[in-house]
Amino acid sequence: MKEMEIKLTDSTLQGHLEVPGDKSISHRSIMFGALADGKTTIRHFLKGEDCLSTIDCFRKLGVEIEETEEEIIVHGKGWKGLEEPKEVLDTGNSGTTTRLLLGILAGCPFHTVLVGDASIAERPMDRVTVPLSQMGARINGRSEGRFTPLAINGTKLRPIHYELPVASAQVKSAVIFAGLQAEGETIITEPQLTRDHTEKMIEQFGGSVTRRGNDIIIPGGQTFKGTDIYVPGDISSAAFFLVAGAISPDSEIVLEKVGLNPTRTGIIDVLKDMGADIEIQEAQIAGEEVGTVTIRTSNLKGVEIGGDLIPKLIDEIPVIALLATQAEGRTVIKDAEELKVKETNRIDTVVSELKKLGAEIEATDDGMVIHGKKGLSGGHVSSHGDHRIGMMLAVASLVAEGTVILENAEAIAVSYPSFFEDMDRLIQGKKS
Ligand code: S3P
């Protein structure tokens, strides 16, 4: 599936859908399952390439992981159960796997080498290796440890008080994993609230962590007990259908069992702000908040998006940019420099690809400005190997006049292997 021709013009989307499991939670469930004592059973795990990379790395670290149609079963033997791998660990396209593994391996008494794909090789790892080195970690890598390949020689770690220079859940989580192994109490101060799945999972596995304002306090020397995990639907995947439903004519989509952790629901805030016809029903708690979200064709208006909202929707900005092309007036996205260090530079890739479809969109230093409402045309576009750019462009093809040809559509399998099947089911209006 290198190049894919998509023609979904003027489609109406109808039906119910349960999107695949949350990527962030799926990664962490394997990690904590591997570090815990005993069996962890994970339901609704995301079998996307990124999370499969995490499974592969932990298998190479000596952890037994069974995969069935319905479940993943991790047979953890505690921190001490991890073994020195005989091979290089390949984290593929996954920033979460690479950065969180660094925090885990920093305290494990053996040597490991981490390598990823061409995109990972360009992504900054010093944001993790700097605080881990302050804790005593021995990590070497290309460009003085800034990039993969990285070699880690695990050692005893000391606690630190670390003020995160960027709002990043990956950096926070890497330091948390190191802090869990340190002798004493580690404190992390975050500049803005970021996704807190690691903190929630520590508690689900019987450990402890405290939040005081912007501080997260992690007692060292913790051990965990295996448990059962249900992974809610990924709101970052649901986002593509929320936007598709809002901008396609005569549409109504009901998304079931979507994760509604308040650190992740920025897309819902933006849709409401834009005036979308959206409803949230019966949010229940299952370790993480879960609920049903209904979206219908909407008349939208432009908005300003920035500040503390950005970490709550950072992965949704590509599809929010598309949404803004179909909203009356100007949408400004600011304070989002972090987009430059994602799977691609998402300021560049969003602007260049949407322009090819006729959007009025300009890049700024820390985001973008979109002028709507603008009819989109067909065109030849590329995912640039970035799953979220690929899915955003596939959704764009629903409202484009003419054929959209999407290159490198295979990248979508990183987080949503069944994306086109699910889209097709809604186009047919079949109830899933
Ligand atoms: C993630 C955190 C975010 C997000 C990424 C997943 C996580 O990255 O963009 O897709 O699972 O912790 P940053 O920590 O770099 O903001």
Side-chain angles (χ1 to χ4, degrees), residues 23-24 27-28 96 99-100 123 127 167-171 173 195 314-315 338 342-343 388:
K23 183 155 79 69
S24 295
H27 282 301
R28 286 157 172 84
T96 307
R99 295 196 175 115
L100 273 56
R123 297 183 67 184
R127 52 179 57 197
S168 162
Q170 291 181 355
V171 179
S173 300
R195 65 190 69 193
I314 188 73
D315 291 341
E338 276 293 300
K342 294 296 174 190
E343 284 81 334
R388 299 200 198 282

Coordinates of all heavy atoms in Angstrom, one line a residue, residues 23-24 27-28 96 99-100 123 127 167-171 173 195 314-315 338 342-343 388, ligand 1:
K23 N -3.4 4.5 22.2 CA -2.0 4.2 21.9 C -1.1 4.4 23.2 O -0.4 3.5 23.6 CB -1.5 5.0 20.8 CG 0.0 4.7 20.4 CD 0.2 5.1 18.9 CE 0.5 6.6 18.7 NZ 1.7 7.1 19.3
S24 N -1.3 5.5 23.8 CA -0.5 5.9 25.0 C -0.7 4.8 26.1 O 0.2 4.4 26.8 CB -0.9 7.3 25.5 OG -0.5 8.2 24.6
H27 N 0.8 1.2 25.2 CA 2.2 1.1 25.5 C 2.5 0.9 27.0 O 3.3 0.1 27.4 CB 2.9 2.5 25.2 CG 3.2 2.7 23.7 ND1 3.9 1.9 22.9 CD2 2.8 3.8 22.9 CE1 4.0 2.5 21.7 NE2 3.3 3.6 21.7
R28 N 1.9 1.8 27.8 CA 2.1 1.7 29.2 C 1.6 0.4 29.9 O 2.2 0.0 30.8 CB 1.4 2.9 29.9 CG 2.2 4.3 29.6 CD 1.3 5.5 29.7 NE 2.0 6.7 29.7 CZ 2.3 7.4 28.5 NH1 2.0 6.9 27.4 NH2 2.9 8.6 28.6
T96 N 7.2 7.2 22.0 CA 6.8 6.8 23.3 C 7.6 5.6 23.7 O 8.1 5.6 24.9 CB 5.3 6.5 23.4 OG1 4.5 7.6 22.9 CG2 4.8 6.2 24.8
R99 N 11.4 6.8 24.3 CA 11.7 7.7 25.5 C 11.3 7.0 26.8 O 12.1 7.1 27.8 CB 10.9 9.0 25.3 CG 11.4 9.8 24.1 CD 11.0 11.2 24.1 NE 11.5 12.0 23.0 CZ 10.8 12.5 22.0 NH1 9.5 12.4 22.0 NH2 11.5 13.2 21.1
L100 N 10.2 6.3 26.9 CA 9.8 5.6 28.1 C 10.8 4.5 28.4 O 11.2 4.3 29.6 CB 8.4 5.1 28.1 CG 7.3 6.2 28.5 CD1 7.4 7.5 27.7 CD2 5.9 5.7 28.5
R123 N 14.4 12.8 15.9 CA 13.7 13.4 17.0 C 14.5 13.5 18.3 O 15.4 12.7 18.5 CB 12.4 12.5 17.3 CG 11.5 12.5 16.1 CD 10.2 11.7 16.3 NE 9.4 12.4 17.3 CZ 8.3 11.8 17.8 NH1 7.9 10.6 17.3 NH2 7.5 12.5 18.6
R127 N 16.1 15.6 25.5 CA 15.1 16.1 26.5 C 14.9 15.0 27.5 O 14.4 15.3 28.6 CB 13.8 16.4 25.8 CG 13.3 15.4 24.8 CD 11.9 15.7 24.2 NE 12.0 17.0 23.4 CZ 10.9 17.7 23.1 NH1 9.7 17.2 23.4 NH2 10.9 18.8 22.4
A167 N 6.3 20.9 28.0 CA 5.2 20.1 28.4 C 5.2 18.9 27.6 O 4.7 18.9 26.5 CB 3.9 20.9 28.3
S168 N 5.7 17.8 28.2 CA 5.8 16.5 27.4 C 5.6 15.4 28.4 O 6.3 15.1 29.3 CB 7.2 16.4 26.8 OG 7.4 15.0 26.4
A169 N 4.5 14.6 28.0 CA 4.2 13.4 28.9 C 5.3 12.3 28.7 O 5.5 11.5 29.6 CB 2.8 12.9 28.5
Q170 N 5.9 12.3 27.5 CA 6.9 11.3 27.3 C 8.1 11.6 28.2 O 8.7 10.7 28.8 CB 7.4 11.3 25.8 CG 6.3 10.7 24.9 CD 6.6 10.7 23.5 OE1 7.7 11.1 23.1 NE2 5.8 10.1 22.6
V171 N 8.5 12.8 28.3 CA 9.7 13.2 29.1 C 9.3 12.9 30.6 O 10.0 12.3 31.4 CB 10.1 14.6 28.9 CG1 11.3 15.0 29.8 CG2 10.5 14.9 27.4
S173 N 7.1 10.9 31.8 CA 7.0 9.5 32.1 C 8.4 8.8 32.2 O 8.6 7.9 33.0 CB 6.2 8.8 31.0 OG 4.9 9.4 31.0
R195 N -0.8 14.6 29.6 CA -1.5 13.4 29.8 C -0.9 12.6 31.0 O 0.3 12.5 31.1 CB -1.6 12.5 28.5 CG -0.3 12.0 28.0 CD -0.4 11.4 26.6 NE -0.6 12.4 25.6 CZ -1.0 12.2 24.4 NH1 -1.2 11.0 24.0 NH2 -1.2 13.2 23.6
I314 N -2.5 18.0 21.3 CA -1.3 18.2 20.5 C -1.4 17.3 19.2 O -1.0 17.7 18.1 CB 0.0 18.1 21.3 CG1 1.2 18.4 20.5 CG2 0.1 16.7 21.9 CD1 1.4 19.9 20.2
D315 N -1.8 16.0 19.4 CA -1.8 15.1 18.3 C -3.0 15.3 17.4 O -3.0 14.8 16.3 CB -1.9 13.6 18.9 CG -0.6 13.2 19.5 OD1 0.5 13.9 19.3 OD2 -0.6 12.3 20.3
E338 N 5.9 22.5 19.6 CA 6.2 21.1 19.7 C 5.8 20.3 18.5 O 6.4 19.2 18.2 CB 5.4 20.5 21.0 CG 6.2 20.7 22.3 CD 7.5 19.9 22.3 OE1 7.4 18.7 22.2 OE2 8.6 20.5 22.4
K342 N 7.4 16.3 16.1 CA 6.6 15.0 16.1 C 7.1 14.1 15.0 O 8.2 14.3 14.5 CB 5.1 15.4 15.9 CG 4.6 16.2 17.1 CD 4.5 15.4 18.3 CE 4.1 16.2 19.5 NZ 4.3 15.4 20.8
E343 N 6.3 13.1 14.6 CA 6.7 12.1 13.6 C 7.3 12.8 12.3 O 8.1 12.3 11.6 CB 5.6 11.2 13.2 CG 5.3 10.1 14.3 CD 4.4 10.6 15.5 OE1 4.5 11.8 15.8 OE2 3.8 9.8 16.1
R388 N -0.7 10.4 11.3 CA -1.8 11.4 11.6 C -2.0 12.3 10.4 O -3.1 12.8 10.1 CB -1.6 12.1 12.9 CG -1.6 11.2 14.1 CD -1.8 11.9 15.4 NE -1.4 11.1 16.5 CZ -2.0 10.0 17.0 NH1 -3.2 9.7 16.5 NH2 -1.5 9.3 18.0
Ligands
S3P1 C1 2.6 10.7 24.2 C2 2.9 12.0 24.5 C3 2.9 13.1 23.5 C4 2.1 12.7 22.2 C5 2.5 11.3 21.8 C6 2.2 10.3 22.8 C7 2.6 9.7 25.3 O1 4.2 13.4 23.1 O2 2.3 13.6 21.2 O3 1.8 10.9 20.6 O4 2.1 8.6 25.1 O5 3.2 10.1 26.4 P1 5.1 14.4 23.9 O6 5.4 13.9 25.2 O7 6.4 14.5 23.1 O8 4.3 15.7 23.9

